[in-house]
Amino acid sequence: MLFAFFGARMAGEGDEKVLLISGGIIAGAALAIWLRTRLWVLIVLCLTVQGIIPAIKIPLRVLDFAILFATVSYLIFIAVRVLRVRVEKDILDLLLLVNLAYLGSVFYRNPVGLHSLGSGMVGGRPYFYILMAFFAYHVLKRAPASKADVLRLPLYITLGAAFSAFCGIVATYKPNVGAALTPFYSGFQSFESADALATADLDSRQITLSAIGNSGILYLVSRYAPVTLFLPIYPMRLFAFLTCTVANLLSGFRTALISSFIYMLMSTWLRKRFHDMFILVGLVTVLVLFCVVGNNRMFRLPTPAQRALSFLPGDWDAAALDDANYSTQWRIEMWKMVLTEDRWIKDKWLGDGFGFSESDLALMKSAREGGQGFIGGSAQEGWMIAGGFHNGPLSAMRYVGALGLLIFIPLQFYLAVRYYRLIKVTRGTPHFCPALFTGMPVVYGVFNFYFLVGSFDAALPETLLAAGILRLVERNFANSTAVEKVATAVLEKKKWTPGRTRIRRPVPTLGGV
């Protein structure tokens, strides 16, 4: 009643911002009391919700709000002794600290600030994102998660991806509705107005659909044997698989189709269904041939779908082929310039850090207004200034140098090996699905980072988040296994000593000390 009284008064005086912040604080407190130790669920729900809330005038992503909210709440719970969790440190913590310590030295040598504060070097937002991922790592590795929540972890992440795709669909097909909802979430803003660097040939591409396409395929192949997705005897699986495949096609990304096929092969291999490998390859080949041969003969695929399939021989539209070839060509030209010129990377050994100068920012702003550039357009120059080389090792050399890349490599490979070990040990258990869902992108991400379209400024925070989820699943699986062993011993009336298996003590992780 008090909030209603003061809220009505603030609304009458025009203090909507104060009213919104006050309501958010009250809602946040209520949510923290309700969820308590399950606050980590908010982080995984918002992993793919990368937009901001323009109405509150704070340039933070929804994911950042979720991480900060969970971190502060857990600190309060620890202070008031509601939460008592002690997790042992292991090699993963050491590798993370080494990478973050070196990144701190890069920031010290190349300090960067904010344009609004009059700093000479701007564009240091990746530092903040990495800090948020570091907070999330500590929350996830300490969060007391129930077995039911961990088993639903793939569903939580997929729901977040579905929300992002829904926002993109509304922005594309219902621009009036999207414009009305944009103040509450920027994801409802149309692609053209959200990114002025977009070229004209992207008008028909549904970029946001790749979120649900990738996450949906990953969820399906983690939960079910991939070969069963093609069988009509499982109509719901078949429908979901075709829907996610169509979403990947309409996104226009060639890498989305490639990654989906790789996830199918990886899931089949890790399930030890080796005989299904040949059947799966044959089914995918038939589906691809149907699209390639049938296009322009029996039906006409949308231009984005033709662009996604343009790496295969077929009768594709000239616009789709030109766009795909142009995308590949300017990346190759860009890589040559980065390797042969000193303008784009000043210190290839120690790195230039995140950010760029005010003069570079002015150049990027002018590029957004259009005009002539090099390598086919002005947008590419803006990406090169910011370090967006579409190549993992080159972007790492731009930000942290060759030395930073050498420090990052052991972290990547150790995390991939650790996930592989988790997948192997959970095979045949309920934890196999979340292990596959979170582990396959990490294993495949190593290949993607070095040979496809990696980016260090995105790879490092993603690695931190993946490490936190790994610790969460590992600890929950170890605790569940210990409880099952105790229950089995009791049921079988075997001698069991409580001191020999202490459930209350933190169970060492699979790769821990």
Side-chain angles (χ1 to χ4, degrees):
M1 291 176 64
L2 288 174
F3 177 74
F5 173 76
F6 287 105
R9 182 175 179 178
M10 286 185 290
E13 294 176 354
D15 293 334
E16 289 86 358
K17 182 177 180 180
V18 177
L19 177 62
L20 185 62
I21 294 176
S22 302
I25 293 174
I26 294 176
L31 184 63
I33 295 173
W34 177 48
L35 291 177
R36 298 185 64 165
T37 56
R38 299 179 67 239
L39 283 168
W40 64 270
V41 174
L42 296 178
I43 297 178
V44 297
L45 273 172
C46 298
L47 281 178
T48 57
V49 185
Q50 301 289 329
I52 65 174
I53 305 175
I56 61 177
K57 307 296 183 182
I58 300 177
L60 295 180
R61 303 171 301 175
V62 174
L63 175 60
D64 300 329
F65 279 113
I67 293 174
L68 289 173
F69 179 61
T71 302
V72 173
S73 300
Y74 272 108
L75 290 176
I76 295 174
F77 291 153
I78 292 174
V80 299
R81 301 297 180 91
V82 173
L83 180 64
R84 298 181 181 181
V85 177
R86 183 173 60 88
V87 180
E88 296 180 1
K89 294 180 174 59
D90 60 11
I91 299 176
L92 187 58
D93 292 282
L94 176 62
L95 292 174
L96 288 174
L97 288 177
V98 170
N99 278 268
L100 294 177
Y102 179 77
L103 186 64
S105 69
V106 174
F107 177 79
Y108 178 78
R109 289 185 288 102
N110 305 277
V112 62
L114 300 175
H115 176 64
S116 59
L117 300 179
S119 174
M121 290 292 294
V122 297
R125 187 175 293 273
Y127 286 114
F128 177 77
Y129 291 158
I130 293 170
L131 179 63
M132 290 296 100
F134 181 68
F135 289 161
Y137 168 73
H138 281 281
V139 169
L140 291 171
K141 81 171 187 176
R142 288 178 169 83
S146 66
K147 181 179 179 180
D149 282 329
V150 172
L151 297 184
R152 286 194 291 263
L153 190 147
L155 179 62
Y156 292 148
I157 299 177
T158 305
L159 287 176
F163 173 75
S164 298
F166 170 76
C167 294
I169 293 173
V170 172
T172 302
Y173 297 103
K174 297 291 183 181
N176 294 333
V177 177
L181 296 176
T182 296
F184 302 100
Y185 181 62
S186 61
F188 289 103
Q189 190 176 13
S190 63
F191 180 78
E192 290 79 7
S193 57
D195 188 359
L197 292 178
T199 54
D201 55 357
L202 295 180
D203 292 343
S204 60
R205 289 178 62 185
Q206 306 300 319
I207 305 295
T208 55
L209 288 181
S210 63
I212 185 60
N214 286 328
S215 297
I217 293 292
L218 185 60
Y219 177 77
L220 290 172
V221 299
S222 300
R223 188 172 180 84
Y224 309 108
V227 71
T228 63
L229 302 179
F230 295 84
L231 302 180
I233 59 175
Y234 302 105
M236 295 303 297
R237 300 183 195 180
L238 179 62
F239 175 76
F241 170 70
L242 293 178
T243 301
C244 294
T245 302
V246 170
N248 280 334
L249 286 172
L250 294 179
S251 71
F253 288 114
R254 291 163 289 182
T255 53
L257 296 178
I258 295 174
S259 62
S260 298
F261 179 63
I262 290 177
Y263 289 148
M264 292 180 189
L265 294 178
M266 291 177 63
S267 176
T268 304
W269 178 270
L270 293 170
R271 292 175 185 273
K272 290 189 174 182
R273 298 173 64 102
F274 305 117
H275 57 283
D276 286 354
M277 298 283 287
F278 302 100
I279 301 175
L280 181 64
V281 172
L283 292 173
V284 172
T285 302
V286 171
L287 182 61
V288 171
L289 286 177
F290 175 75
C291 295
V292 172
V293 177
N295 183 53
N296 292 332
R297 289 186 176 89
M298 296 180 291
F299 50 83
R300 175 180 171 82
L301 290 173
T303 303
Q306 296 192 45
R307 183 190 188 278
L309 294 169
S310 60
F311 65 94
L312 299 171
D315 186 15
W316 311 118
D317 288 349
L321 281 175
D322 291 342
D323 181 60
N325 293 332
Y326 161 75
S327 177
T328 303
Q329 185 61 32
W330 77 257
R331 293 185 189 189
I332 296 175
E333 294 295 330
M334 181 171 57
W335 298 339
K336 291 180 181 179
M337 296 181 67
V338 170
L339 291 173
T340 58
E341 299 179 6
D342 295 332
R343 176 186 176 187
W344 313 110
I345 303 179
K346 298 179 178 60
D347 192 341
K348 291 184 173 65
W349 290 104
L350 299 179
D352 302 334
F354 299 108
F356 35 83
S357 65
E358 283 280 2
S359 59
D360 288 334
L361 177 62
L363 180 61
M364 294 171 66
K365 288 181 177 179
S366 64
R368 285 180 176 271
E369 298 175 358
Q372 295 297 320
F374 61 98
I375 323 179
S378 58
Q380 284 71 19
E381 188 169 6
W383 280 323
M384 293 183 69
I385 291 173
F389 302 144
H390 289 70
N391 181 275
L394 289 181
S395 66
M397 291 177 63
R398 160 65 169 82
Y399 299 128
V400 295
L403 180 59
L405 178 61
L406 291 176
I407 296 176
F408 184 59
I409 289 175
L411 173 61
Q412 275 188 308
F413 280 88
Y414 177 76
L415 185 64
V417 171
R418 184 100 162 241
Y419 260 115
Y420 177 71
R421 293 171 59 187
L422 176 64
I423 293 172
K424 287 183 61 178
V425 77
T426 57
R427 187 186 297 116
T429 69
H431 287 80
F432 185 62
C433 176
L436 270 182
F437 184 87
T438 57
M440 287 192 297
V442 174
V443 177
Y444 170 69
V446 176
F447 173 81
N448 183 75
F449 181 81
Y450 291 99
F451 300 103
L452 295 179
V453 290
S455 178
F456 181 81
D457 56 333
L460 184 54
E462 289 174 358
T463 300
L464 289 168
L465 291 168
I469 295 175
L470 170 72
R471 298 292 297 272
L472 178 74
V473 178
E474 275 186 345
R475 190 180 68 254
N476 187 265
F477 172 71
N479 289 332
S480 300
T481 304
V483 171
E484 291 173 0
K485 288 181 179 179
V486 172
T488 302
V490 172
L491 291 174
E492 295 179 359
K493 296 181 180 181
K494 291 184 178 180
K495 185 177 180 181
W496 171 66
T497 304
R500 189 176 303 170
T501 306
R502 298 182 180 180
I503 304 303
R504 291 184 177 181
R505 292 182 58 188
V507 180
T509 57
L510 298 177
V513 179

